[in-house]
Amino acid sequence: MPPPDWVVKRVLLGPAALRKAAARQAADERERWMLRQSSEVRRSFVHEVLEQGVNEEAWMLLQPDEVRHSYAAEVLGHQP
């Protein structure tokens, strides 16, 4: 069972030490990737996906090239 959204928000928006600890425990590469992103990307994810209910894939498609390429390389293993 995944953690409640309020816990996810608190970790994503929390201090670096909390995010690093969470990343070490995360079983999912997507979670580890998100925890390593800039505060701007994490805030956008929390606001749009967790709070407004935007589809996670749609949110990703609307991100800057740098973010999308990072996801493709680090999570999907796609090298251009």
Side-chain angles (χ1 to χ4, degrees), residues 60-73:
M60 180 60 73
L61 290 172
L62 297 172
Q63 295 310 297
D65 286 347
E66 177 182 313
V67 175
R68 292 192 329 270
H69 292 172
S70 167
Y71 183 87

Side-chain angles (χ1 to χ4, degrees), residues 1-78:
M1 176 195 278
D5 280 353
W6 70 268
V7 172
V8 174
K9 291 178 195 178
R10 185 163 286 183
V11 172
L12 285 174
L13 301 177
L18 176 62
R19 290 191 321 276
K20 286 178 184 178
R24 284 191 300 271
Q25 299 295 319
D28 186 334
E29 183 59 40
R30 294 177 310 149
E31 293 172 6
R32 289 191 296 273
W33 176 84
M34 180 59 74
L35 290 162
R36 292 188 305 259
Q37 296 309 299
S38 70
S39 60
E40 182 180 326
V41 171
R42 289 181 284 107
R43 278 195 306 269
S44 170
F45 181 85
V46 166
H47 177 69
E48 295 177 31
V49 176
L50 299 180
E51 295 177 350
Q52 292 186 342
V54 171
N55 177 280
E56 189 173 334
E57 291 156 351
W59 173 84
M60 180 60 73
L61 290 172
L62 297 172
Q63 295 310 297
D65 286 347
E66 177 182 313
V67 175
R68 292 192 329 270
H69 292 172
S70 167
Y71 183 87
E74 295 177 34
V75 176
L76 303 176
H78 174 74

